Coordinates of all heavy atoms in Angstrom, one line a residue:
M1 N 32.3 103.5 48.9 CA 30.9 103.5 48.4 C 30.2 102.1 48.5 O 29.1 102.1 48.7 CB 30.9 104.2 47.1 CG 29.7 104.0 46.3 SD 29.4 105.1 45.0 CE 29.2 103.8 43.8
Y2 N 31.1 101.1 48.3 CA 30.4 99.8 48.3 C 30.1 99.4 49.8 O 31.0 99.5 50.7 CB 31.5 98.8 47.9 CG 30.9 97.7 47.0 CD1 31.3 97.6 45.7 CD2 30.1 96.7 47.6 CE1 30.8 96.5 45.0 CE2 29.6 95.7 46.8 CZ 29.9 95.6 45.5 OH 29.5 94.6 44.7
P3 N 28.8 99.2 50.1 CA 28.5 98.8 51.5 C 29.2 97.6 52.0 O 29.3 96.6 51.4 CB 27.0 98.5 51.3 CG 26.5 99.2 50.1 CD 27.7 99.1 49.3
A4 N 29.7 97.7 53.2 CA 30.5 96.5 53.7 C 29.7 95.2 53.8 O 30.1 94.2 53.5 CB 30.9 96.8 55.2
A5 N 28.4 95.4 54.2 CA 27.5 94.2 54.3 C 27.3 93.6 52.9 O 27.2 92.3 52.8 CB 26.2 94.5 54.8
S6 N 27.2 94.4 51.9 CA 27.0 93.9 50.5 C 28.2 93.2 50.1 O 28.2 92.2 49.3 CB 26.6 95.1 49.6 OG 25.4 95.5 49.8
R7 N 29.4 93.8 50.4 CA 30.7 93.1 50.0 C 30.7 91.8 50.6 O 31.2 90.7 50.0 CB 31.8 94.1 50.5 CG 33.2 93.7 49.9 CD 34.3 94.6 50.3 NE 34.1 96.0 49.8 CZ 34.5 96.3 48.7 NH1 35.1 95.5 47.8 NH2 34.3 97.6 48.3
R8 N 30.4 91.7 52.0 CA 30.5 90.4 52.6 C 29.6 89.3 52.0 O 29.9 88.1 51.8 CB 30.2 90.5 54.1 CG 31.3 91.1 55.0 CD 31.0 90.8 56.4 NE 29.8 91.4 56.9 CZ 29.5 92.7 57.2 NH1 30.5 93.6 57.1 NH2 28.3 93.0 57.6
L9 N 28.4 89.9 51.7 CA 27.4 88.9 51.0 C 27.7 88.6 49.6 O 26.8 87.8 48.9 CB 26.0 89.4 51.3 CG 25.6 89.6 52.7 CD1 24.4 90.3 52.9 CD2 25.4 88.2 53.3
G10 N 28.7 89.3 49.0 CA 28.8 89.1 47.5 C 27.9 89.7 46.6 O 27.7 89.2 45.5
E11 N 27.2 90.8 47.1 CA 26.2 91.4 46.3 C 26.8 92.2 45.2 O 27.5 93.0 45.5 CB 25.2 92.3 47.0 CG 24.4 91.4 48.1 CD 23.5 92.3 49.0 OE1 23.8 93.6 49.2 OE2 22.5 91.7 49.5
E12 N 26.2 92.0 43.9 CA 26.7 92.9 42.9 C 25.4 93.4 42.1 O 24.3 92.8 42.3 CB 27.7 92.2 41.9 CG 28.9 91.7 42.4 CD 29.7 91.0 41.5 OE1 29.3 90.3 40.7 OE2 30.9 91.1 41.5
G13 N 25.5 94.4 41.3 CA 24.3 94.9 40.6 C 24.6 96.3 39.9 O 25.6 96.9 40.1
R14 N 23.6 96.6 39.1 CA 23.6 97.8 38.4 C 22.4 98.6 38.8 O 21.2 98.2 38.8 CB 23.6 97.5 37.0 CG 23.6 98.9 36.1 CD 23.7 98.4 34.6 NE 24.0 99.5 33.7 CZ 22.9 99.9 32.8 NH1 22.0 99.2 32.8 NH2 23.1 100.9 32.1
V15 N 22.5 99.9 39.2 CA 21.5 100.8 39.6 C 21.4 101.9 38.6 O 22.4 102.4 38.1 CB 21.7 101.5 41.1 CG1 20.7 102.3 41.4 CG2 22.1 100.4 42.0
L16 N 20.3 102.2 38.1 CA 20.0 103.4 37.3 C 19.3 104.5 38.2 O 18.2 104.2 38.7 CB 19.1 103.1 36.1 CG 19.8 102.2 35.0 CD1 18.8 101.9 33.8 CD2 21.0 102.9 34.5
L17 N 19.9 105.6 38.1 CA 19.3 106.7 38.9 C 18.8 107.8 37.9 O 19.5 108.2 37.0 CB 20.5 107.1 39.9 CG 20.8 106.3 40.8 CD1 22.1 106.7 41.6 CD2 19.8 105.9 41.9
R18 N 17.7 108.5 38.3 CA 17.2 109.5 37.4 C 17.6 110.8 38.3 O 17.1 110.8 39.5 CB 15.7 109.4 37.2 CG 15.2 110.5 36.5 CD 13.7 110.3 36.3 NE 13.0 111.4 35.4 CZ 12.6 112.5 36.0 NH1 12.6 112.6 37.4 NH2 12.0 113.5 35.3
V19 N 18.5 111.7 37.8 CA 18.8 112.8 38.5 C 18.4 114.1 37.9 O 18.6 114.3 36.8 CB 20.5 112.8 38.7 CG1 20.9 114.0 39.6 CG2 20.9 111.5 39.1
R20 N 17.6 114.9 38.8 CA 17.3 116.3 38.3 C 18.4 117.3 38.8 O 18.8 117.2 40.0 CB 16.0 116.6 39.0 CG 15.4 117.8 38.3 CD 13.9 118.0 38.6 NE 13.6 118.1 40.1 CZ 13.5 119.1 40.9 NH1 13.5 120.4 40.2 NH2 13.2 119.1 42.1
V21 N 19.0 117.8 37.8 CA 20.2 118.7 38.0 C 19.9 120.1 37.9 O 19.2 120.6 36.9 CB 21.4 118.3 37.1 CG1 22.6 119.1 37.3 CG2 21.7 116.8 37.3
S22 N 20.2 121.0 39.0 CA 19.9 122.5 38.9 C 20.8 123.2 37.8 O 21.8 122.6 37.3 CB 20.0 123.0 40.3 OG 21.6 123.2 40.5
A23 N 20.5 124.3 37.5 CA 21.3 125.2 36.6 C 22.7 125.4 37.2 O 23.6 125.8 36.6 CB 20.6 126.5 36.3
Q24 N 22.8 125.2 38.8 CA 24.2 125.4 39.3 C 24.9 124.0 39.3 O 26.1 124.0 39.9 CB 23.9 125.8 40.7 CG 23.4 127.3 40.7 CD 21.9 127.3 40.3 OE1 21.1 126.6 40.8 NE2 21.5 128.4 39.6
G25 N 24.4 123.0 38.7 CA 25.0 121.7 38.7 C 24.8 120.9 40.0 O 25.5 119.8 40.2
L26 N 23.9 121.2 40.8 CA 23.6 120.5 42.1 C 22.4 119.5 41.9 O 21.4 119.8 41.2 CB 23.2 121.5 43.2 CG 24.3 122.4 43.6 CD1 23.8 123.5 44.5 CD2 25.5 121.8 44.1
P27 N 22.6 118.3 42.4 CA 21.3 117.4 42.3 C 20.3 117.7 43.2 O 20.3 117.9 44.3 CB 22.0 116.0 42.8 CG 23.2 116.3 43.7 CD 23.6 117.6 43.3
L28 N 19.1 118.0 42.4 CA 17.9 118.5 43.1 C 17.1 117.4 43.7 O 16.4 117.4 44.7 CB 17.0 119.4 42.3 CG 17.7 120.6 41.8 CD1 16.8 121.3 40.8 CD2 17.9 121.5 43.0
S29 N 17.1 116.2 43.0 CA 16.4 114.9 43.4 C 17.1 113.8 42.7 O 17.7 113.8 41.5 CB 14.9 115.0 43.0 OG 14.7 114.9 41.6
V30 N 17.2 112.7 43.4 CA 17.8 111.4 42.9 C 16.9 110.5 43.2 O 16.5 110.0 44.3 CB 19.1 111.2 43.7 CG1 19.8 109.9 43.1 CG2 20.2 112.3 43.5
D31 N 16.3 109.8 42.2 CA 15.3 108.6 42.2 C 15.9 107.5 41.5 O 16.5 107.5 40.5 CB 14.0 109.1 41.6 CG 13.4 110.3 42.2 OD1 13.3 110.3 43.5 OD2 13.1 111.2 41.4
I32 N 15.5 106.4 42.1 CA 16.0 105.0 41.5 C 15.0 104.7 40.4 O 13.7 104.6 40.5 CB 15.9 103.8 42.6 CG1 17.0 104.1 43.6 CG2 16.2 102.5 42.0 CD1 16.8 103.2 44.8
R33 N 15.6 104.6 39.1 CA 14.8 104.3 37.9 C 14.8 102.7 37.8 O 13.8 102.3 37.4 CB 15.5 105.0 36.8 CG 14.6 104.7 35.5 CD 15.2 105.7 34.4 NE 14.4 105.4 33.3 CZ 14.9 105.7 32.0 NH1 16.1 106.5 31.9 NH2 14.2 105.4 31.0
Q34 N 16.0 102.1 38.0 CA 15.9 100.6 38.0 C 16.9 100.1 39.1 O 17.9 100.6 39.3 CB 16.6 100.3 36.7 CG 16.6 98.7 36.6 CD 17.2 98.2 35.3 OE1 17.1 99.0 34.2 NE2 17.7 97.1 35.1
S35 N 16.3 99.4 39.9 CA 16.9 98.7 41.1 C 18.0 97.7 40.8 O 17.9 97.0 39.8 CB 16.0 98.1 42.1 OG 16.7 97.5 43.2
S36 N 19.1 97.6 41.6 CA 20.0 96.6 41.5 C 19.6 95.2 41.9 O 20.1 94.2 41.7 CB 21.3 97.0 42.3 OG 21.0 96.9 43.6
G37 N 18.4 95.2 42.8 CA 18.0 94.1 43.5 C 18.4 94.2 44.8 O 17.9 93.3 45.7
S38 N 19.2 95.0 45.2 CA 19.7 95.1 46.7 C 19.5 96.6 47.2 O 19.9 97.5 46.8 CB 21.2 94.8 46.7 OG 21.6 95.2 48.0
P39 N 18.7 96.5 48.2 CA 18.3 97.8 48.8 C 19.5 98.6 49.3 O 19.7 99.7 49.2 CB 17.4 97.5 50.0 CG 16.7 96.2 49.6 CD 17.8 95.4 48.9
R40 N 20.4 97.8 49.8 CA 21.8 98.4 50.3 C 22.6 99.0 49.1 O 23.1 100.1 49.2 CB 22.8 97.3 50.9 CG 22.3 97.0 52.2 CD 23.3 96.0 52.9 NE 23.1 94.7 52.2 CZ 22.3 93.8 52.6 NH1 21.5 93.9 53.6 NH2 22.2 92.5 52.0
L41 N 22.8 98.4 48.0 CA 23.4 99.0 46.9 C 22.6 100.1 46.4 O 23.2 101.2 46.0 CB 23.6 97.9 45.7 CG 24.5 96.7 46.1 CD1 24.6 95.7 44.8 CD2 26.0 97.2 46.6
D42 N 21.4 100.1 46.2 CA 20.5 101.1 45.7 C 20.7 102.4 46.6 O 20.8 103.5 46.0 CB 19.0 100.7 45.7 CG 18.7 99.7 44.7 OD1 19.5 99.3 43.9 OD2 17.6 99.1 44.8
E43 N 20.7 102.2 47.9 CA 20.8 103.4 48.8 C 22.3 104.0 48.7 O 22.5 105.1 48.8 CB 20.5 102.9 50.2 CG 20.4 104.1 51.2 CD 19.6 105.3 50.6 OE1 18.5 105.1 50.1 OE2 20.0 106.4 50.9
A44 N 23.4 103.1 48.6 CA 24.7 103.5 48.5 C 24.8 104.4 47.3 O 25.6 105.5 47.3 CB 25.7 102.3 48.6
A45 N 24.2 104.0 46.2 CA 24.2 104.6 44.9 C 23.6 106.0 45.0 O 24.1 107.1 44.6 CB 23.6 103.8 43.7
R46 N 22.4 106.1 45.5 CA 21.6 107.2 45.8 C 22.5 108.2 46.7 O 22.7 109.5 46.3 CB 20.3 107.1 46.4 CG 19.6 108.4 46.5 CD 18.4 108.2 47.4 NE 17.7 107.0 47.4 CZ 16.4 106.8 46.9 NH1 15.9 107.8 46.2 NH2 15.8 105.6 47.0
A47 N 23.0 107.9 47.7 CA 23.7 108.6 48.6 C 25.0 109.1 48.0 O 25.4 110.3 48.1 CB 24.2 107.9 49.9
A48 N 25.7 108.4 47.2 CA 26.9 108.9 46.5 C 26.6 110.0 45.5 O 27.2 111.0 45.5 CB 27.6 107.7 45.7
V49 N 25.6 109.7 44.6 CA 25.2 110.7 43.7 C 24.7 112.0 44.3 O 24.8 113.1 43.6 CB 24.2 110.0 42.7 CG1 23.6 111.1 41.7 CG2 25.0 108.9 41.8
E50 N 23.9 111.8 45.4 CA 23.5 113.1 45.9 C 24.6 114.0 46.5 O 24.5 115.3 46.7 CB 22.7 112.8 47.3 CG 21.3 112.3 47.1 CD 20.6 111.6 48.2 OE1 21.2 111.5 49.3 OE2 19.4 111.6 48.1
R51 N 25.9 113.5 46.6 CA 27.1 114.4 46.8 C 27.8 115.0 45.6 O 28.7 115.6 45.7 CB 28.0 113.6 47.7 CG 27.5 113.3 49.1 CD 28.4 112.7 50.1 NE 29.1 111.4 49.4 CZ 28.7 110.2 49.7 NH1 27.7 109.9 50.5 NH2 29.3 109.2 49.2
W52 N 27.4 114.3 44.4 CA 28.1 114.8 43.1 C 27.7 116.2 42.9 O 26.8 116.8 43.3 CB 27.7 113.9 42.1 CG 28.3 112.5 42.2 CD1 29.0 112.0 43.2 CD2 28.1 111.5 41.1 NE1 29.2 110.6 42.9 CE2 28.8 110.3 41.6 CE3 27.5 111.4 39.9 CZ2 28.8 109.1 40.9 CZ3 27.6 110.2 39.1 CH2 28.1 109.1 39.8
R53 N 28.5 116.7 42.0 CA 28.3 118.0 41.2 C 28.4 117.7 39.8 O 29.2 117.0 39.3 CB 29.4 119.0 41.7 CG 29.4 119.3 43.2 CD 28.0 120.0 43.6 NE 27.8 120.2 45.1 CZ 27.2 119.3 45.8 NH1 26.6 118.2 45.4 NH2 27.2 119.4 47.2
F54 N 27.5 118.3 39.0 CA 27.4 118.1 37.7 C 27.7 119.3 36.8 O 27.6 120.5 37.3 CB 25.9 117.7 37.2 CG 25.5 116.3 37.9 CD1 25.0 116.2 39.2 CD2 25.7 115.1 37.2 CE1 24.8 115.0 39.8 CE2 25.2 114.0 37.7 CZ 24.8 113.9 39.0
V55 N 28.0 119.2 35.6 CA 28.1 120.2 34.6 C 26.8 120.5 34.1 O 26.2 119.6 33.6 CB 29.1 119.8 33.5 CG1 29.0 120.9 32.4 CG2 30.5 119.6 34.0
P56 N 26.1 121.6 34.4 CA 24.8 121.8 34.1 C 24.7 121.9 32.5 O 25.4 122.2 31.8 CB 24.3 123.1 34.6 CG 25.7 123.9 34.9 CD 26.7 122.8 35.1
A57 N 23.3 121.4 32.2 CA 22.9 121.5 30.8 C 22.8 123.0 30.4 O 22.7 123.9 31.2 CB 21.7 120.8 30.6
K58 N 22.9 123.3 29.0 CA 22.9 124.6 28.7 C 21.9 124.7 27.6 O 21.7 123.8 26.7 CB 24.3 125.2 28.1 CG 25.2 125.3 29.3 CD 26.4 126.1 28.8 CE 27.2 126.5 30.1 NZ 28.3 127.4 29.8
Q59 N 21.2 125.8 27.4 CA 20.3 126.2 26.3 C 20.9 127.5 25.8 O 20.7 128.6 26.4 CB 18.9 126.4 26.9 CG 17.9 126.6 25.8 CD 16.5 126.3 26.4 OE1 16.3 126.7 27.5 NE2 15.6 125.7 25.7
G60 N 21.5 127.3 24.7 CA 22.4 128.4 24.2 C 23.6 128.7 25.1 O 24.4 127.7 25.3
T61 N 23.6 129.8 25.7 CA 24.9 130.1 26.6 C 24.4 130.0 28.1 O 25.1 130.2 29.0 CB 25.4 131.4 26.4 OG1 24.5 132.5 26.6 CG2 26.2 131.5 25.0
E62 N 23.1 129.9 28.3 CA 22.5 129.8 29.6 C 22.4 128.5 30.3 O 21.9 127.5 29.5 CB 21.1 130.5 29.6 CG 20.4 130.6 30.9 CD 19.1 131.3 30.8 OE1 18.8 132.0 29.8 OE2 18.3 131.2 31.8
A63 N 22.9 128.4 31.5 CA 22.7 127.0 32.2 C 21.3 126.7 32.6 O 20.6 127.8 33.0 CB 23.7 127.0 33.4
V64 N 20.8 125.5 32.5 CA 19.3 125.3 32.7 C 19.3 124.0 33.5 O 20.1 123.2 33.6 CB 18.6 125.2 31.5 CG1 18.4 126.5 30.7 CG2 19.1 124.1 30.5
E65 N 18.1 123.9 34.2 CA 18.0 122.7 35.0 C 17.6 121.6 34.0 O 17.1 121.8 32.8 CB 16.6 123.0 35.8 CG 16.2 121.7 36.8 CD 15.1 122.1 37.6 OE1 15.2 123.1 38.3 OE2 14.1 121.4 37.5
S66 N 18.0 120.3 34.3 CA 17.8 119.3 33.3 C 17.7 117.9 34.2 O 18.0 117.9 35.3 CB 19.0 119.1 32.3 OG 20.2 119.0 33.0
T67 N 17.4 116.9 33.5 CA 17.4 115.5 34.0 C 18.4 114.6 33.3 O 18.4 114.7 32.1 CB 16.0 114.9 33.9 OG1 15.0 115.8 34.7 CG2 15.9 113.7 34.7
V68 N 19.0 113.8 34.1 CA 19.9 112.8 33.4 C 19.8 111.4 34.2 O 19.4 111.3 35.3 CB 21.4 113.5 33.6 CG1 21.8 113.4 35.1 CG2 22.4 112.5 32.8
V69 N 20.0 110.3 33.4 CA 20.1 109.0 33.9 C 21.5 108.6 34.1 O 22.3 108.7 33.3 CB 19.3 108.0 33.1 CG1 19.5 106.6 33.6 CG2 17.9 108.4 32.8
V70 N 21.8 108.3 35.4 CA 23.2 107.8 35.7 C 23.2 106.3 36.1 O 22.5 105.8 37.0 CB 23.6 108.6 37.0 CG1 25.0 108.2 37.5 CG2 23.6 110.2 36.7
P71 N 24.0 105.6 35.4 CA 24.1 104.1 35.7 C 25.3 103.9 36.8 O 26.4 104.6 36.5 CB 24.4 103.4 34.3 CG 25.1 104.5 33.6 CD 24.7 105.9 34.1
L72 N 25.2 103.2 37.7 CA 26.3 102.9 38.6 C 26.4 101.3 38.8 O 25.3 100.8 39.0 CB 26.0 103.4 40.1 CG 26.3 104.9 40.1 CD1 26.0 105.3 41.6 CD2 27.7 105.3 39.7
Q73 N 27.5 100.8 38.5 CA 27.6 99.3 38.5 C 28.5 99.0 39.8 O 29.6 99.6 40.0 CB 28.5 98.9 37.3 CG 28.7 97.5 37.2 CD 27.5 96.7 36.8 OE1 26.7 97.0 36.0 NE2 27.3 95.6 37.4
F74 N 28.0 98.0 40.6 CA 28.7 97.5 41.6 C 29.2 96.1 41.3 O 28.4 95.2 41.1 CB 27.8 97.4 42.9 CG 27.4 98.7 43.5 CD1 26.2 99.4 43.2 CD2 28.0 99.3 44.5 CE1 25.8 100.6 43.6 CE2 27.7 100.6 45.0 CZ 26.6 101.1 44.6
T75 N 30.6 96.0 41.2 CA 31.1 94.8 40.9 C 32.3 94.5 41.8 O 33.2 95.3 42.2 CB 31.8 94.8 39.5 OG1 30.8 95.2 38.5 CG2 32.3 93.5 39.1
L76 N 32.3 93.3 42.5 CA 33.4 92.9 43.3 C 34.6 92.3 42.5 O 34.3 91.6 41.6 CB 32.9 91.7 44.3 CG 31.9 92.2 45.3 CD1 31.1 91.0 45.9 CD2 32.4 93.1 46.3
D77 N 35.8 92.7 42.8 CA 36.9 92.2 42.2 C 37.2 90.8 42.9 O 37.2 90.6 43.9 CB 38.1 93.1 42.5 CG 38.0 94.5 41.8 OD1 37.2 94.7 40.8 OD2 38.3 95.5 42.3
S78 N 37.6 90.0 41.9 CA 38.1 88.6 42.5 C 39.4 88.5 43.0 O 40.2 89.3 42.9 CB 37.8 87.5 41.5 OG 37.7 88.0 40.2

């Protein structure tokens, strides 16, 4: 998930994504709420979360559409 160019350039950062999740647990939309400062890291985070599956929110016993904020941290190991 870490972009090769970002790894070479030593880019690190935290991305906050706002994800609208369907009642089936699929991401309906993924928007950047707070950028890492690197477009490469932001896009890698968005692309990864678009492939995720979520446990849907419930209202009583019924699964419902909801919104969640997902933080992703990009850190290079030394």
Side-chain angles (χ1 to χ4, degrees):
M1 168 166 118
Y2 218 113
S6 292
R7 188 177 298 278
R8 279 193 311 277
L9 294 169
E11 293 177 336
E12 296 183 323
R14 181 172 183 248
V15 183
L16 288 180
L17 300 166
R18 183 176 178 271
V19 184
R20 193 165 54 100
V21 179
S22 73
Q24 292 74 37
L26 301 172
L28 298 172
S29 66
V30 180
D31 300 309
I32 295 171
R33 183 168 179 199
Q34 182 180 334
S35 172
S36 67
S38 164
R40 279 182 292 273
L41 295 180
D42 294 348
E43 188 50 41
R46 182 197 321 259
V49 171
E50 285 175 344
R51 293 188 303 267
W52 289 7
R53 297 300 173 258
F54 294 82
V55 175
K58 290 199 173 185
Q59 192 166 31
T61 58
E62 184 178 340
V64 295
E65 186 177 303
S66 63
T67 301
V68 64
V69 174
V70 175
L72 285 178
Q73 182 73 41
F74 288 91
T75 306
L76 294 168
D77 297 329
S78 23

